[in-house]
């Protein structure tokens, strides 16, 4: 290679690198949507959170079989403990589930329309999630899959939602909400579903369902600790 040509190539490489770095910075700023306007997640039954509330955060994928299997026992535990325990569900659409992002987006659309229907739709997806596994939709276009998801979601929460669900999939806001959920989950170090955090600390065996007895073993000591502290205060002031 001649020296002149070598110098020219080096100069060209520097200019290309400068262009890429500058434009990538601009692109990252334009794509940046964090922090979001509100905390990510769906709050179960809008239970208020107090300083002594036990907070559970669940990371689910609507088409993940283990997420589906984890939900009934978690719901049973929430019924047992009542307002002492609060739940926030975050969505992590796993990349190896072809329709995870679209089904997650449907949940965000419904949550914007009527948050009281969100968990009903989540259970509806869990009940019939095999319809949106990879194999049954392998030969379908993305547009066809979205059309099926819209129709399916409307069947679950009411046909009055059909038009809003259709338009929701063309709304940039619902796309960004779903992306924020993914980014939030990964920022917490979550890479599989279901994953559970209790009072900010991750439970072991991420990616596996936890049965009702398992939840009792986790939460009973926490509830007992709070009760004993209240009892101690009572003795102190008596």
């Amino acid at each position: 290679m001649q020296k002149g040509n070598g110098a020219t190539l080096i100069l060209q490489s520097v200019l290309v690198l400068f262009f890429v770095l500058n434009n990538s910075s601009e692109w990252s700023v334009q794509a940046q949507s964090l922090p979001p306007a509100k905390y990510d997640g769906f709050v179960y039954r809008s239970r208020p959170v107090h300083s002594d509330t036990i907070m559970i955060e669940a990371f689910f994928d609507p088409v993940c079989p283990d997420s589906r299997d984890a939900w009934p026992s978690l719901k049973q535990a929430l019924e047992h403990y009542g307002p002492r325990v609060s739940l926030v569900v975050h969505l992590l659409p796993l990349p190896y589930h072809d329709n995870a992002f679209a089904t997650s987006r449907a949940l965000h659309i419904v949550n914007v329309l009527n948050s009281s229907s969100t968990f009903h739709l989540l259970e509806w997806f869990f009940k019939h999630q095999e319809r949106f596994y990879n194999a049954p939709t392998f030969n379908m276009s993305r547009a066809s899959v979205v059309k099926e998801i819209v129709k399916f979601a409307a069947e679950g929460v009411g046909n009055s939602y059909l038009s809003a669900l259709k338009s929701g999939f063309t709304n940039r806001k619902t796309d960004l909400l779903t992306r924020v959920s993914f980014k939030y989950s990964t920022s917490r170090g979550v890479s599989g579903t279901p994953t559970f955090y209790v009072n900010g600390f991750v439970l072991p065996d991420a990616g596996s369902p936890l049965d009702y007895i398992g939840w009792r073993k986790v939460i009973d000591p926490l509830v007992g600790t709070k009760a004993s502290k209240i009892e101690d205060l009572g003795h102190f002031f008596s």
Side-chain angles (χ1 to χ4, degrees):
M1 180 182 294
Q2 296 180 356
K3 290 183 178 180
N5 291 338
T8 301
L9 287 173
I10 291 172
L11 178 60
Q12 289 175 343
S13 299
V14 170
L15 290 174
V16 168
L17 180 61
F18 178 80
F19 174 81
V20 169
L21 289 174
N22 278 325
N23 281 276
S24 63
S25 299
E26 181 182 352
W27 294 334
S28 64
V29 169
Q30 291 176 348
Q32 182 65 276
S33 58
L34 303 176
K38 57 174 289 190
Y39 190 74
D40 177 75
F42 308 136
V43 180
Y44 183 69
R45 293 191 174 178
S46 300
R47 290 178 176 174
V49 178
H50 305 292
S51 59
D52 60 347
T53 301
I54 296 168
M55 172 62 72
I56 299 175
E57 292 177 274
F59 294 81
F60 285 157
D61 177 334
V63 289
C64 166
D66 288 327
S67 295
R68 174 199 62 201
D69 294 343
W71 174 242
S73 56
L74 174 55
K75 185 178 179 181
Q76 186 180 0
L78 293 168
E79 296 300 324
H80 174 76
Y81 293 105
R84 290 176 292 180
V85 177
S86 184
L87 169 69
V88 176
V89 169
H90 305 283
L91 298 179
L92 175 59
L94 297 171
Y96 41 84
H97 294 155
D98 292 346
N99 304 311
F101 191 88
T103 52
S104 295
R105 189 170 179 180
L107 283 160
H108 277 288
I109 294 168
V110 167
N111 190 66
V112 170
L113 296 171
N114 182 4
S115 60
S116 64
S117 297
T118 307
F119 282 89
H120 184 76
L121 180 57
L122 180 63
E123 291 182 341
W124 186 243
F125 274 125
F126 283 161
K127 185 177 181 179
H128 303 284
Q129 66 176 201
E130 68 280 355
R131 288 181 56 173
F132 301 106
Y133 286 167
N134 293 2
T137 60
F138 181 76
N139 291 316
M140 297 174 63
S141 67
R142 181 181 178 278
S144 297
V145 172
V146 168
K147 184 177 180 180
E148 285 298 309
I149 290 172
V150 166
K151 184 172 69 174
F152 173 82
E155 290 172 1
V157 296
N159 287 324
S160 60
Y161 288 83
L162 183 62
S163 177
L165 279 161
K166 286 181 181 178
S167 60
F169 271 96
T170 61
N171 186 331
R172 175 66 172 164
K173 180 180 178 181
T174 65
D175 177 68
L176 291 176
L177 286 173
T178 314
R179 293 184 187 211
V180 165
S181 288
F182 178 83
K183 291 178 181 180
Y184 176 79
S185 299
T186 55
S187 76
R188 295 287 297 276
V190 179
S191 59
T193 57
T195 295
F196 302 105
Y197 279 74
V198 176
N199 289 343
F201 286 82
V202 65
L203 296 185
D205 300 323
S208 300
L210 187 63
D211 62 20
Y212 176 67
I213 299 301
W215 279 114
R216 292 293 302 270
K217 289 180 179 178
V218 170
I219 300 175
D220 277 352
L222 303 180
V223 173
T225 299
K226 293 179 186 299
S228 65
K229 286 182 178 179
I230 293 173
E231 186 178 347
D232 291 341
L233 285 173
H235 290 314
F236 178 80
F237 288 109
S238 60

